[in-house]
Amino acid sequence: MTPRRNTAISEVRIPRPALEAVDRMRESGEIHVWWWPLGTRTDPADYAVLDEVERGRAQRFHAEADAAAFTATRAGARRAVAALLGIEPHQVGFGRRTCPGCGDREHGPPAVSDPPVPLAVSLSRTAGAGAFAIRAGDWVGVDVEARRPVEPAGLADMVLTATESAHVLGLPEGPARDAAFHRAWTRKEAVVKAVGLGLLGMALNTLDVHPAQDGPVQVVHRYRGEETRWQVTDLDIGERWAASVARPAADPAGPVHLHAPA
């Protein structure tokens, strides 16, 4: 689980700017989201930011483009946390929280493990773009997807509820339909990531995210007879991609700060 703050210890182990940043984020309820384009070749500057475990993972990719995407996303996340907390990228460590479904720590949602501050994080990448979200607290989810044409008999049936499908496929074929579909898809993925269960908790085609409505929207997730509610906000990162971020609806709905690439 996310380490709890112990003042007697944290004043020694955690830099004061980091503590102040977390307190500010908790009070405001803000979310920070960074996104960046992904190239096809690994940037040595990105690779240098990774820790030994991440470098090992990068080296195991067979395709250079996949290694480059992984490296850029992890390096971007590390730099984002460092900038937010006022520390250096090499001082940032990532781990995992306990899985809320089975209690296993090996595949729970990602977390900042060093410094040990109560920050929820989420990572996503797609063709050409990566994204990273962070907030004070326990849960957050971000998703980014490259837009592509919607095939009514294929992907839409796997992703959309009957109500969503009627709305999306009722739109004229082309950009409007594609945009509505990807709005729904990224909202769903952001929620299941925030819940921490992925598709184990609730299939995408049973999760209604109201694509006919402009965001933010409230979404109900059901798992083992229990309901949780999430606020989902759409992110504008250009015409090539769709993106959304989700957080618990009961928490303070502070601003979403979107950090575009420099």
PDB file of all heavy atoms in Angstrom, residues 220-256:
ATOM      1  N   VAL A 220     -19.739   5.112 -12.757  1.00  0.00           N
ATOM      2  CA  VAL A 220     -19.893   4.114 -11.701  1.00  0.00           C
ATOM      3  C   VAL A 220     -19.193   2.824 -12.125  1.00  0.00           C
ATOM      4  O   VAL A 220     -19.467   2.280 -13.206  1.00  0.00           O
ATOM      5  CB  VAL A 220     -21.378   3.826 -11.416  1.00  0.00           C
ATOM      6  CG1 VAL A 220     -21.520   2.734 -10.348  1.00  0.00           C
ATOM      7  CG2 VAL A 220     -22.094   5.099 -10.966  1.00  0.00           C
ATOM      8  N   HIS A 221     -18.291   2.334 -11.281  1.00  0.00           N
ATOM      9  CA  HIS A 221     -17.596   1.072 -11.524  1.00  0.00           C
ATOM     10  C   HIS A 221     -18.085   0.048 -10.511  1.00  0.00           C
ATOM     11  O   HIS A 221     -18.203   0.347  -9.322  1.00  0.00           O
ATOM     12  CB  HIS A 221     -16.078   1.270 -11.380  1.00  0.00           C
ATOM     13  CG  HIS A 221     -15.275   0.044 -11.696  1.00  0.00           C
ATOM     14  ND1 HIS A 221     -15.100  -0.991 -10.799  1.00  0.00           N
ATOM     15  CD2 HIS A 221     -14.602  -0.306 -12.825  1.00  0.00           C
ATOM     16  CE1 HIS A 221     -14.348  -1.926 -11.356  1.00  0.00           C
ATOM     17  NE2 HIS A 221     -14.030  -1.535 -12.582  1.00  0.00           N
ATOM     18  N   ARG A 222     -18.370  -1.162 -10.969  1.00  0.00           N
ATOM     19  CA  ARG A 222     -18.891  -2.216 -10.093  1.00  0.00           C
ATOM     20  C   ARG A 222     -17.930  -3.398 -10.057  1.00  0.00           C
ATOM     21  O   ARG A 222     -17.448  -3.835 -11.108  1.00  0.00           O
ATOM     22  CB  ARG A 222     -20.276  -2.673 -10.557  1.00  0.00           C
ATOM     23  CG  ARG A 222     -21.321  -1.576 -10.501  1.00  0.00           C
ATOM     24  CD  ARG A 222     -22.675  -2.040 -11.028  1.00  0.00           C
ATOM     25  NE  ARG A 222     -23.668  -0.973 -10.903  1.00  0.00           N
ATOM     26  CZ  ARG A 222     -23.867  -0.034 -11.820  1.00  0.00           C
ATOM     27  NH1 ARG A 222     -23.124  -0.035 -12.924  1.00  0.00           N
ATOM     28  NH2 ARG A 222     -24.780   0.906 -11.631  1.00  0.00           N
ATOM     29  N   TYR A 223     -17.700  -3.893  -8.843  1.00  0.00           N
ATOM     30  CA  TYR A 223     -16.807  -5.043  -8.668  1.00  0.00           C
ATOM     31  C   TYR A 223     -17.231  -5.801  -7.423  1.00  0.00           C
ATOM     32  O   TYR A 223     -17.285  -5.239  -6.330  1.00  0.00           O
ATOM     33  CB  TYR A 223     -15.353  -4.571  -8.536  1.00  0.00           C
ATOM     34  CG  TYR A 223     -14.368  -5.693  -8.305  1.00  0.00           C
ATOM     35  CD1 TYR A 223     -14.124  -6.641  -9.294  1.00  0.00           C
ATOM     36  CD2 TYR A 223     -13.679  -5.801  -7.100  1.00  0.00           C
ATOM     37  CE1 TYR A 223     -13.225  -7.675  -9.097  1.00  0.00           C
ATOM     38  CE2 TYR A 223     -12.760  -6.826  -6.895  1.00  0.00           C
ATOM     39  CZ  TYR A 223     -12.541  -7.762  -7.890  1.00  0.00           C
ATOM     40  OH  TYR A 223     -11.644  -8.785  -7.694  1.00  0.00           O
ATOM     41  N   ARG A 224     -17.572  -7.076  -7.616  1.00  0.00           N
ATOM     42  CA  ARG A 224     -17.979  -7.944  -6.513  1.00  0.00           C
ATOM     43  C   ARG A 224     -19.108  -7.335  -5.682  1.00  0.00           C
ATOM     44  O   ARG A 224     -19.079  -7.355  -4.444  1.00  0.00           O
ATOM     45  CB  ARG A 224     -16.785  -8.278  -5.621  1.00  0.00           C
ATOM     46  CG  ARG A 224     -15.729  -9.139  -6.303  1.00  0.00           C
ATOM     47  CD  ARG A 224     -14.569  -9.448  -5.389  1.00  0.00           C
ATOM     48  NE  ARG A 224     -13.597 -10.322  -6.039  1.00  0.00           N
ATOM     49  CZ  ARG A 224     -12.422 -10.676  -5.495  1.00  0.00           C
ATOM     50  NH1 ARG A 224     -12.102 -10.216  -4.290  1.00  0.00           N
ATOM     51  NH2 ARG A 224     -11.601 -11.473  -6.152  1.00  0.00           N
ATOM     52  N   GLY A 225     -20.073  -6.762  -6.365  1.00  0.00           N
ATOM     53  CA  GLY A 225     -21.239  -6.217  -5.697  1.00  0.00           C
ATOM     54  C   GLY A 225     -21.057  -4.847  -5.078  1.00  0.00           C
ATOM     55  O   GLY A 225     -22.001  -4.295  -4.502  1.00  0.00           O
ATOM     56  N   GLU A 226     -19.869  -4.265  -5.204  1.00  0.00           N
ATOM     57  CA  GLU A 226     -19.602  -2.940  -4.653  1.00  0.00           C
ATOM     58  C   GLU A 226     -19.472  -1.922  -5.783  1.00  0.00           C
ATOM     59  O   GLU A 226     -18.986  -2.237  -6.871  1.00  0.00           O
ATOM     60  CB  GLU A 226     -18.332  -2.947  -3.806  1.00  0.00           C
ATOM     61  CG  GLU A 226     -18.423  -3.823  -2.561  1.00  0.00           C
ATOM     62  CD  GLU A 226     -17.201  -3.685  -1.686  1.00  0.00           C
ATOM     63  OE1 GLU A 226     -16.307  -2.864  -2.036  1.00  0.00           O
ATOM     64  OE2 GLU A 226     -17.113  -4.385  -0.668  1.00  0.00           O
ATOM     65  N   GLU A 227     -19.912  -0.705  -5.500  1.00  0.00           N
ATOM     66  CA  GLU A 227     -19.824   0.380  -6.471  1.00  0.00           C
ATOM     67  C   GLU A 227     -18.837   1.441  -6.010  1.00  0.00           C
ATOM     68  O   GLU A 227     -18.798   1.772  -4.817  1.00  0.00           O
ATOM     69  CB  GLU A 227     -21.200   1.040  -6.672  1.00  0.00           C
ATOM     70  CG  GLU A 227     -22.221   0.166  -7.348  1.00  0.00           C
ATOM     71  CD  GLU A 227     -23.508   0.926  -7.641  1.00  0.00           C
ATOM     72  OE1 GLU A 227     -23.622   2.105  -7.189  1.00  0.00           O
ATOM     73  OE2 GLU A 227     -24.387   0.367  -8.312  1.00  0.00           O
ATOM     74  N   THR A 228     -18.045   1.932  -6.937  1.00  0.00           N
ATOM     75  CA  THR A 228     -17.201   3.101  -6.689  1.00  0.00           C
ATOM     76  C   THR A 228     -17.505   4.126  -7.769  1.00  0.00           C
ATOM     77  O   THR A 228     -17.870   3.772  -8.899  1.00  0.00           O
ATOM     78  CB  THR A 228     -15.704   2.748  -6.710  1.00  0.00           C
ATOM     79  OG1 THR A 228     -15.392   2.061  -7.947  1.00  0.00           O
ATOM     80  CG2 THR A 228     -15.342   1.860  -5.528  1.00  0.00           C
ATOM     81  N   ARG A 229     -17.382   5.395  -7.412  1.00  0.00           N
ATOM     82  CA  ARG A 229     -17.707   6.468  -8.351  1.00  0.00           C
ATOM     83  C   ARG A 229     -16.458   7.282  -8.668  1.00  0.00           C
ATOM     84  O   ARG A 229     -15.667   7.587  -7.777  1.00  0.00           O
ATOM     85  CB  ARG A 229     -18.811   7.357  -7.777  1.00  0.00           C
ATOM     86  CG  ARG A 229     -20.119   6.597  -7.599  1.00  0.00           C
ATOM     87  CD  ARG A 229     -21.235   7.460  -7.046  1.00  0.00           C
ATOM     88  NE  ARG A 229     -22.454   6.670  -6.904  1.00  0.00           N
ATOM     89  CZ  ARG A 229     -23.351   6.502  -7.866  1.00  0.00           C
ATOM     90  NH1 ARG A 229     -23.175   7.116  -9.035  1.00  0.00           N
ATOM     91  NH2 ARG A 229     -24.422   5.756  -7.680  1.00  0.00           N
ATOM     92  N   TRP A 230     -16.352   7.645  -9.932  1.00  0.00           N
ATOM     93  CA  TRP A 230     -15.149   8.305 -10.437  1.00  0.00           C
ATOM     94  C   TRP A 230     -15.523   9.514 -11.272  1.00  0.00           C
ATOM     95  O   TRP A 230     -16.507   9.499 -12.013  1.00  0.00           O
ATOM     96  CB  TRP A 230     -14.344   7.317 -11.285  1.00  0.00           C
ATOM     97  CG  TRP A 230     -14.028   6.086 -10.512  1.00  0.00           C
ATOM     98  CD1 TRP A 230     -14.819   4.966 -10.370  1.00  0.00           C
ATOM     99  CD2 TRP A 230     -12.884   5.866  -9.703  1.00  0.00           C
ATOM    100  NE1 TRP A 230     -14.226   4.068  -9.532  1.00  0.00           N
ATOM    101  CE2 TRP A 230     -13.034   4.591  -9.100  1.00  0.00           C
ATOM    102  CE3 TRP A 230     -11.737   6.612  -9.428  1.00  0.00           C
ATOM    103  CZ2 TRP A 230     -12.083   4.051  -8.242  1.00  0.00           C
ATOM    104  CZ3 TRP A 230     -10.785   6.075  -8.574  1.00  0.00           C
ATOM    105  CH2 TRP A 230     -10.961   4.813  -7.989  1.00  0.00           C
ATOM    106  N   GLN A 231     -14.708  10.551 -11.148  1.00  0.00           N
ATOM    107  CA  GLN A 231     -14.859  11.722 -12.013  1.00  0.00           C
ATOM    108  C   GLN A 231     -13.823  11.606 -13.125  1.00  0.00           C
ATOM    109  O   GLN A 231     -12.630  11.401 -12.868  1.00  0.00           O
ATOM    110  CB  GLN A 231     -14.636  13.022 -11.253  1.00  0.00           C
ATOM    111  CG  GLN A 231     -14.881  14.252 -12.123  1.00  0.00           C
ATOM    112  CD  GLN A 231     -14.428  15.534 -11.469  1.00  0.00           C
ATOM    113  OE1 GLN A 231     -13.247  15.852 -11.457  1.00  0.00           O
ATOM    114  NE2 GLN A 231     -15.372  16.282 -10.933  1.00  0.00           N
ATOM    115  N   VAL A 232     -14.293  11.734 -14.368  1.00  0.00           N
ATOM    116  CA  VAL A 232     -13.418  11.566 -15.525  1.00  0.00           C
ATOM    117  C   VAL A 232     -13.380  12.862 -16.327  1.00  0.00           C
ATOM    118  O   VAL A 232     -14.422  13.437 -16.655  1.00  0.00           O
ATOM    119  CB  VAL A 232     -13.893  10.405 -16.420  1.00  0.00           C
ATOM    120  CG1 VAL A 232     -12.864  10.139 -17.512  1.00  0.00           C
ATOM    121  CG2 VAL A 232     -14.138   9.152 -15.600  1.00  0.00           C
ATOM    122  N   THR A 233     -12.172  13.317 -16.625  1.00  0.00           N
ATOM    123  CA  THR A 233     -11.955  14.551 -17.372  1.00  0.00           C
ATOM    124  C   THR A 233     -11.240  14.238 -18.678  1.00  0.00           C
ATOM    125  O   THR A 233     -10.256  13.488 -18.693  1.00  0.00           O
ATOM    126  CB  THR A 233     -11.099  15.537 -16.550  1.00  0.00           C
ATOM    127  OG1 THR A 233     -11.750  15.809 -15.304  1.00  0.00           O
ATOM    128  CG2 THR A 233     -10.884  16.843 -17.301  1.00  0.00           C
ATOM    129  N   ASP A 234     -11.744  14.793 -19.777  1.00  0.00           N
ATOM    130  CA  ASP A 234     -11.089  14.636 -21.076  1.00  0.00           C
ATOM    131  C   ASP A 234      -9.910  15.606 -21.172  1.00  0.00           C
ATOM    132  O   ASP A 234      -9.966  16.731 -20.670  1.00  0.00           O
ATOM    133  CB  ASP A 234     -12.072  14.907 -22.209  1.00  0.00           C
ATOM    134  CG  ASP A 234     -13.295  14.016 -22.144  1.00  0.00           C
ATOM    135  OD1 ASP A 234     -13.147  12.824 -21.818  1.00  0.00           O
ATOM    136  OD2 ASP A 234     -14.409  14.525 -22.408  1.00  0.00           O
ATOM    137  N   LEU A 235      -8.859  15.171 -21.845  1.00  0.00           N
ATOM    138  CA  LEU A 235      -7.652  15.973 -22.008  1.00  0.00           C
ATOM    139  C   LEU A 235      -7.453  16.305 -23.484  1.00  0.00           C
ATOM    140  O   LEU A 235      -7.576  15.425 -24.341  1.00  0.00           O
ATOM    141  CB  LEU A 235      -6.430  15.208 -21.488  1.00  0.00           C
ATOM    142  CG  LEU A 235      -6.515  14.697 -20.049  1.00  0.00           C
ATOM    143  CD1 LEU A 235      -5.337  13.778 -19.753  1.00  0.00           C
ATOM    144  CD2 LEU A 235      -6.551  15.856 -19.068  1.00  0.00           C
ATOM    145  N   ASP A 236      -7.142  17.543 -23.769  1.00  0.00           N
ATOM    146  CA  ASP A 236      -6.917  17.983 -25.146  1.00  0.00           C
ATOM    147  C   ASP A 236      -5.429  17.951 -25.443  1.00  0.00           C
ATOM    148  O   ASP A 236      -4.680  18.828 -24.999  1.00  0.00           O
ATOM    149  CB  ASP A 236      -7.474  19.390 -25.341  1.00  0.00           C
ATOM    150  CG  ASP A 236      -7.334  19.881 -26.780  1.00  0.00           C
ATOM    151  OD1 ASP A 236      -6.846  19.100 -27.634  1.00  0.00           O
ATOM    152  OD2 ASP A 236      -7.703  21.038 -27.057  1.00  0.00           O
ATOM    153  N   ILE A 237      -4.996  16.931 -26.198  1.00  0.00           N
ATOM    154  CA  ILE A 237      -3.580  16.840 -26.556  1.00  0.00           C
ATOM    155  C   ILE A 237      -3.412  16.798 -28.082  1.00  0.00           C
ATOM    156  O   ILE A 237      -2.464  16.208 -28.588  1.00  0.00           O
ATOM    157  CB  ILE A 237      -2.887  15.632 -25.886  1.00  0.00           C
ATOM    158  CG1 ILE A 237      -3.514  14.318 -26.352  1.00  0.00           C
ATOM    159  CG2 ILE A 237      -2.980  15.741 -24.378  1.00  0.00           C
ATOM    160  CD1 ILE A 237      -2.716  13.099 -25.878  1.00  0.00           C
ATOM    161  N   GLY A 238      -4.331  17.411 -28.782  1.00  0.00           N
ATOM    162  CA  GLY A 238      -4.220  17.493 -30.233  1.00  0.00           C
ATOM    163  C   GLY A 238      -5.142  16.519 -30.942  1.00  0.00           C
ATOM    164  O   GLY A 238      -5.816  15.697 -30.327  1.00  0.00           O
ATOM    165  N   GLU A 239      -5.169  16.604 -32.270  1.00  0.00           N
ATOM    166  CA  GLU A 239      -6.114  15.826 -33.068  1.00  0.00           C
ATOM    167  C   GLU A 239      -5.691  14.373 -33.264  1.00  0.00           C
ATOM    168  O   GLU A 239      -6.535  13.526 -33.570  1.00  0.00           O
ATOM    169  CB  GLU A 239      -6.291  16.491 -34.436  1.00  0.00           C
ATOM    170  CG  GLU A 239      -6.929  17.881 -34.368  1.00  0.00           C
ATOM    171  CD  GLU A 239      -7.137  18.479 -35.734  1.00  0.00           C
ATOM    172  OE1 GLU A 239      -6.714  17.836 -36.724  1.00  0.00           O
ATOM    173  OE2 GLU A 239      -7.727  19.580 -35.816  1.00  0.00           O
ATOM    174  N   ARG A 240      -4.431  14.059 -33.098  1.00  0.00           N
ATOM    175  CA  ARG A 240      -3.963  12.695 -33.366  1.00  0.00           C
ATOM    176  C   ARG A 240      -4.314  11.717 -32.255  1.00  0.00           C
ATOM    177  O   ARG A 240      -4.382  10.500 -32.489  1.00  0.00           O
ATOM    178  CB  ARG A 240      -2.448  12.693 -33.578  1.00  0.00           C
ATOM    179  CG  ARG A 240      -1.980  13.383 -34.835  1.00  0.00           C
ATOM    180  CD  ARG A 240      -0.474  13.353 -34.929  1.00  0.00           C
ATOM    181  NE  ARG A 240       0.053  11.987 -34.875  1.00  0.00           N
ATOM    182  CZ  ARG A 240       1.349  11.694 -34.735  1.00  0.00           C
ATOM    183  NH1 ARG A 240       2.241  12.665 -34.619  1.00  0.00           N
ATOM    184  NH2 ARG A 240       1.746  10.443 -34.709  1.00  0.00           N
ATOM    185  N   TRP A 241      -4.532  12.225 -31.029  1.00  0.00           N
ATOM    186  CA  TRP A 241      -4.744  11.339 -29.891  1.00  0.00           C
ATOM    187  C   TRP A 241      -5.954  11.775 -29.070  1.00  0.00           C
ATOM    188  O   TRP A 241      -6.347  12.942 -29.083  1.00  0.00           O
ATOM    189  CB  TRP A 241      -3.512  11.324 -28.988  1.00  0.00           C
ATOM    190  CG  TRP A 241      -2.245  10.963 -29.692  1.00  0.00           C
ATOM    191  CD1 TRP A 241      -1.831   9.725 -30.072  1.00  0.00           C
ATOM    192  CD2 TRP A 241      -1.201  11.852 -30.091  1.00  0.00           C
ATOM    193  NE1 TRP A 241      -0.615   9.777 -30.693  1.00  0.00           N
ATOM    194  CE2 TRP A 241      -0.192  11.073 -30.722  1.00  0.00           C
ATOM    195  CE3 TRP A 241      -1.008  13.232 -29.990  1.00  0.00           C
ATOM    196  CZ2 TRP A 241       0.970  11.626 -31.233  1.00  0.00           C
ATOM    197  CZ3 TRP A 241       0.147  13.783 -30.509  1.00  0.00           C
ATOM    198  CH2 TRP A 241       1.127  12.985 -31.121  1.00  0.00           C
ATOM    199  N   ALA A 242      -6.513  10.837 -28.339  1.00  0.00           N
ATOM    200  CA  ALA A 242      -7.529  11.122 -27.331  1.00  0.00           C
ATOM    201  C   ALA A 242      -6.949  10.726 -25.982  1.00  0.00           C
ATOM    202  O   ALA A 242      -6.153   9.783 -25.885  1.00  0.00           O
ATOM    203  CB  ALA A 242      -8.799  10.323 -27.611  1.00  0.00           C
ATOM    204  N   ALA A 243      -7.352  11.438 -24.910  1.00  0.00           N
ATOM    205  CA  ALA A 243      -6.822  11.138 -23.588  1.00  0.00           C
ATOM    206  C   ALA A 243      -7.825  11.541 -22.515  1.00  0.00           C
ATOM    207  O   ALA A 243      -8.598  12.485 -22.694  1.00  0.00           O
ATOM    208  CB  ALA A 243      -5.491  11.863 -23.355  1.00  0.00           C
ATOM    209  N   SER A 244      -7.801  10.816 -21.396  1.00  0.00           N
ATOM    210  CA  SER A 244      -8.685  11.100 -20.266  1.00  0.00           C
ATOM    211  C   SER A 244      -7.962  10.761 -18.970  1.00  0.00           C
ATOM    212  O   SER A 244      -7.045   9.928 -18.957  1.00  0.00           O
ATOM    213  CB  SER A 244      -9.975  10.275 -20.346  1.00  0.00           C
ATOM    214  OG  SER A 244     -10.702  10.557 -21.513  1.00  0.00           O
ATOM    215  N   VAL A 245      -8.411  11.398 -17.876  1.00  0.00           N
ATOM    216  CA  VAL A 245      -7.861  11.117 -16.558  1.00  0.00           C
ATOM    217  C   VAL A 245      -9.027  10.935 -15.586  1.00  0.00           C
ATOM    218  O   VAL A 245     -10.046  11.628 -15.687  1.00  0.00           O
ATOM    219  CB  VAL A 245      -6.910  12.247 -16.088  1.00  0.00           C
ATOM    220  CG1 VAL A 245      -7.625  13.569 -15.925  1.00  0.00           C
ATOM    221  CG2 VAL A 245      -6.194  11.851 -14.801  1.00  0.00           C
ATOM    222  N   ALA A 246      -8.883   9.982 -14.649  1.00  0.00           N
ATOM    223  CA  ALA A 246      -9.952   9.661 -13.700  1.00  0.00           C
ATOM    224  C   ALA A 246      -9.423   9.734 -12.268  1.00  0.00           C
ATOM    225  O   ALA A 246      -8.270   9.408 -12.004  1.00  0.00           O
ATOM    226  CB  ALA A 246     -10.507   8.265 -13.970  1.00  0.00           C
ATOM    227  N   ARG A 247     -10.326  10.178 -11.350  1.00  0.00           N
ATOM    228  CA  ARG A 247     -10.012  10.225  -9.924  1.00  0.00           C
ATOM    229  C   ARG A 247     -11.278   9.924  -9.131  1.00  0.00           C
ATOM    230  O   ARG A 247     -12.392  10.015  -9.674  1.00  0.00           O
ATOM    231  CB  ARG A 247      -9.492  11.609  -9.536  1.00  0.00           C
ATOM    232  CG  ARG A 247     -10.461  12.742  -9.865  1.00  0.00           C
ATOM    233  CD  ARG A 247      -9.885  14.077  -9.472  1.00  0.00           C
ATOM    234  NE  ARG A 247     -10.486  15.163 -10.248  1.00  0.00           N
ATOM    235  CZ  ARG A 247      -9.996  16.395 -10.277  1.00  0.00           C
ATOM    236  NH1 ARG A 247      -8.928  16.705  -9.579  1.00  0.00           N
ATOM    237  NH2 ARG A 247     -10.579  17.334 -11.008  1.00  0.00           N
ATOM    238  N   PRO A 248     -11.169   9.588  -7.850  1.00  0.00           N
ATOM    239  CA  PRO A 248     -12.368   9.306  -7.055  1.00  0.00           C
ATOM    240  C   PRO A 248     -13.307  10.511  -7.012  1.00  0.00           C
ATOM    241  O   PRO A 248     -12.873  11.636  -6.755  1.00  0.00           O
ATOM    242  CB  PRO A 248     -11.797   8.991  -5.665  1.00  0.00           C
ATOM    243  CG  PRO A 248     -10.399   8.523  -5.925  1.00  0.00           C
ATOM    244  CD  PRO A 248      -9.925   9.341  -7.085  1.00  0.00           C
ATOM    245  N   ALA A 249     -14.587  10.281  -7.255  1.00  0.00           N
ATOM    246  CA  ALA A 249     -15.554  11.376  -7.293  1.00  0.00           C
ATOM    247  C   ALA A 249     -15.744  12.012  -5.927  1.00  0.00           C
ATOM    248  O   ALA A 249     -16.141  13.179  -5.827  1.00  0.00           O
ATOM    249  CB  ALA A 249     -16.891  10.866  -7.818  1.00  0.00           C
ATOM    250  N   ALA A 250     -15.464  11.268  -4.853  1.00  0.00           N
ATOM    251  CA  ALA A 250     -15.667  11.799  -3.508  1.00  0.00           C
ATOM    252  C   ALA A 250     -14.547  12.740  -3.075  1.00  0.00           C
ATOM    253  O   ALA A 250     -14.707  13.488  -2.102  1.00  0.00           O
ATOM    254  CB  ALA A 250     -15.790  10.655  -2.508  1.00  0.00           C
ATOM    255  N   ASP A 251     -13.424  12.723  -3.763  1.00  0.00           N
ATOM    256  CA  ASP A 251     -12.294  13.565  -3.387  1.00  0.00           C
ATOM    257  C   ASP A 251     -12.471  14.977  -3.939  1.00  0.00           C
ATOM    258  O   ASP A 251     -13.249  15.199  -4.874  1.00  0.00           O
ATOM    259  CB  ASP A 251     -10.995  12.972  -3.923  1.00  0.00           C
ATOM    260  CG  ASP A 251     -10.579  11.725  -3.164  1.00  0.00           C
ATOM    261  OD1 ASP A 251     -11.314  11.339  -2.230  1.00  0.00           O
ATOM    262  OD2 ASP A 251      -9.551  11.124  -3.517  1.00  0.00           O
ATOM    263  N   PRO A 252     -11.742  15.956  -3.382  1.00  0.00           N
ATOM    264  CA  PRO A 252     -11.838  17.328  -3.895  1.00  0.00           C
ATOM    265  C   PRO A 252     -11.522  17.381  -5.392  1.00  0.00           C
ATOM    266  O   PRO A 252     -10.520  16.822  -5.838  1.00  0.00           O
ATOM    267  CB  PRO A 252     -10.778  18.083  -3.079  1.00  0.00           C
ATOM    268  CG  PRO A 252     -10.637  17.293  -1.828  1.00  0.00           C
ATOM    269  CD  PRO A 252     -10.839  15.864  -2.221  1.00  0.00           C
ATOM    270  N   ALA A 253     -12.395  18.035  -6.142  1.00  0.00           N
ATOM    271  CA  ALA A 253     -12.234  18.112  -7.597  1.00  0.00           C
ATOM    272  C   ALA A 253     -11.442  19.356  -7.965  1.00  0.00           C
ATOM    273  O   ALA A 253     -11.985  20.337  -8.487  1.00  0.00           O
ATOM    274  CB  ALA A 253     -13.590  18.102  -8.281  1.00  0.00           C
ATOM    275  N   GLY A 254     -10.158  19.324  -7.676  1.00  0.00           N
ATOM    276  CA  GLY A 254      -9.306  20.453  -8.001  1.00  0.00           C
ATOM    277  C   GLY A 254      -8.977  20.494  -9.482  1.00  0.00           C
ATOM    278  O   GLY A 254      -9.428  19.647 -10.266  1.00  0.00           O
ATOM    279  N   PRO A 255      -8.199  21.471  -9.899  1.00  0.00           N
ATOM    280  CA  PRO A 255      -7.887  21.631 -11.323  1.00  0.00           C
ATOM    281  C   PRO A 255      -7.011  20.503 -11.866  1.00  0.00           C
ATOM    282  O   PRO A 255      -6.264  19.870 -11.120  1.00  0.00           O
ATOM    283  CB  PRO A 255      -7.147  22.974 -11.373  1.00  0.00           C
ATOM    284  CG  PRO A 255      -6.538  23.112 -10.006  1.00  0.00           C
ATOM    285  CD  PRO A 255      -7.534  22.497  -9.064  1.00  0.00           C
ATOM    286  N   VAL A 256      -7.128  20.280 -13.161  1.00  0.00           N
ATOM    287  CA  VAL A 256      -6.241  19.349 -13.866  1.00  0.00           C
ATOM    288  C   VAL A 256      -5.223  20.182 -14.631  1.00  0.00           C
ATOM    289  O   VAL A 256      -5.588  20.942 -15.538  1.00  0.00           O
ATOM    290  CB  VAL A 256      -7.026  18.448 -14.837  1.00  0.00           C
ATOM    291  CG1 VAL A 256      -6.053  17.549 -15.622  1.00  0.00           C
ATOM    292  CG2 VAL A 256      -8.031  17.593 -14.080  1.00  0.00           C
TER     293      VAL A 256
END
